[in-house]
């Protein structure tokens, strides 16, 4: 009887072990079945995060670019109505104790094309400094000239040193008939139709000075009418 009881207990234990093993096997199968789906879900989540990250970066970069553009737009400089034109840059020397001093002379015409023009002359050891000083000198020496229908009111002759310039009014469509320094002065003064002839010295300094002298001595129709004591219509009729 004892042997039979021992055998039955052993069989029961074996049966219990087999049941436990089968349960573990089923659990492992369930885990094996669930893991691929979870792996796929984790992969999809990782891909979604990777795609969202560059979008956020791009949005951030676009925002930065827009901010930069706004800054650039706000910092845009305002264009000045004054315009400068360099007529001549020459190298000059001055004899001093111990040798020669080299410098540059710049001639610049400054104007706003609305009846104001001037000439500046300056010297400096460097070309850029000489031009800057000449521009400042030109703005100090501005003159106001009369403009009658894009041309001058009457014929006039101007002189400066050994040079002289003759200016004549012209009809619409003629253009600026001039060259060199004379053309620069007339264009920056605001004339669109005019005839000119340079006589005597061909130096740019003398030509520009003679042109400014002629423009300075011009008289408008209104001023002449006031001196004569008549109306502008009576004088022009």
């Amino acid at each position: 009887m004892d042997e039979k009881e021992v055998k039955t207990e052993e069989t029961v234990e074996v049966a219990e072990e087999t049941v436990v093993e089968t349960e573990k096997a089923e659990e492992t199968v369930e885990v094996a079945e669930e893991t691929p789906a979870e792996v796929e879900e984790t992969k999809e989540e990782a891909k979604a995060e990777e795609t969202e990250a560059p979008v956020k970066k791009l949005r951030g970069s676009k925002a930065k670019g827009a901010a930069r553009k706004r800054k650039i737009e706000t910092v845009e400089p305002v264009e000045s109505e004054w315009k400068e034109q360099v007529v001549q840059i020459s190298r000059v020397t001055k004899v001093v104790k111990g040798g020669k001093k080299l410098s540059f002379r710049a001639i610049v015409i400054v104007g706003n094309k609305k009846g104001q023009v001037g000439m500046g002359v300056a010297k400096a050891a460097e070309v850029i400094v000489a031009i800057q000083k000449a521009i400042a000198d030109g703005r100090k020496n501005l003159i106001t000239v009369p403009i009658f229908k894009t041309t001058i009111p009457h014929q006039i002759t101007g002189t400066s040193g050994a040079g002289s310039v003759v200016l004549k009014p012209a009809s619409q469509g003629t253009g600026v008939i001039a060259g060199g320094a004379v053309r620069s002065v007339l264009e920056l003064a605001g004339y669109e139709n005019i005839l000119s002839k340079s006589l005597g010295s061909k130096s740019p300094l003398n030509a520009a000075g003679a042109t400014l002298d002629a423009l300075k001595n011009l008289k408008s129709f209104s001023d002449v009418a006031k001196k004569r004591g008549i109306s502008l219509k009576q004088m022009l009729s």
Side-chain angles (χ1 to χ4, degrees):
M1 293 296 291
D2 294 334
E3 291 179 357
K4 287 180 180 180
E5 288 177 358
V6 169
K7 285 180 181 180
T8 54
E9 289 177 359
E10 288 177 357
T11 54
V12 170
E13 289 178 357
V14 169
E16 288 178 354
E17 288 177 358
T18 53
V19 170
V20 171
E21 288 177 356
T22 53
E23 288 177 355
K24 287 182 179 179
E26 288 176 357
E27 289 178 357
T28 53
V29 169
E30 288 178 357
V31 170
E33 288 178 353
E34 291 176 356
T35 49
E38 290 178 356
V39 169
E40 289 179 358
E41 288 179 359
T42 52
K43 286 182 179 179
E44 289 178 358
E45 289 177 358
K47 286 182 181 178
E49 289 178 358
E50 287 177 358
T51 52
E52 287 177 0
V55 170
K56 289 180 181 177
K57 287 181 180 178
L58 286 171
R59 287 177 183 171
S61 62
K62 286 181 180 178
K64 288 180 182 178
R68 288 177 183 173
K69 285 182 181 177
R70 287 174 187 170
K71 287 181 181 178
I72 290 169
E73 287 175 359
T74 53
V75 176
E76 281 184 358
V78 179
E79 291 185 1
S80 175
E81 63 176 358
W82 297 98
K83 295 185 178 180
E84 303 88 17
Q85 190 168 351
V86 179
V87 174
Q88 186 186 41
I89 297 174
S90 57
R91 188 177 63 180
V92 294
T93 56
K94 182 181 179 181
V95 179
V96 294
K97 186 177 180 181
K100 293 181 179 180
K101 184 181 178 181
L102 178 67
S103 59
F104 296 92
R105 185 187 70 178
I107 303 172
V108 180
I109 307 299
V110 183
N112 61 355
K113 294 188 176 182
K114 295 179 182 178
Q116 287 185 314
V117 66
M119 180 180 66
V121 183
K123 297 177 184 179
E126 296 181 1
V127 176
I128 297 172
V129 178
I131 293 172
Q132 291 175 350
K133 289 171 69 176
I135 291 170
D137 185 53
R139 291 187 177 180
K140 290 177 183 177
N141 301 319
L142 291 172
I143 61 170
T144 303
V145 298
I147 299 175
F148 178 73
K149 295 182 180 179
T150 69
T151 187
I152 57 176
H154 56 87
Q155 180 178 340
I156 194 167
T157 302
T159 59
S160 176
S164 63
V165 174
V166 179
L167 301 178
K168 292 183 179 182
S171 59
Q172 291 286 338
T174 304
V176 179
I177 309 301
V182 179
R183 187 181 187 88
S184 300
V185 173
L186 295 175
E187 284 182 347
L188 291 178
Y191 295 107
E192 297 178 5
N193 303 287
I194 191 169
L195 300 171
S196 68
K197 179 64 180 177
S198 179
L199 305 172
S201 175
K202 295 182 180 180
S203 168
L205 184 61
N206 286 337
T211 306
L212 288 170
D213 180 64
L215 296 176
K216 192 189 299 181
N217 294 323
L218 284 172
K219 296 178 181 179
S220 63
F221 291 118
S222 59
D223 293 339
V224 176
K226 285 181 182 179
K227 286 183 180 180
R228 293 183 184 180
I230 58 176
S231 64
L232 187 62
K233 289 182 179 179
Q234 289 177 352
M235 191 181 70
L236 294 175
S237 59

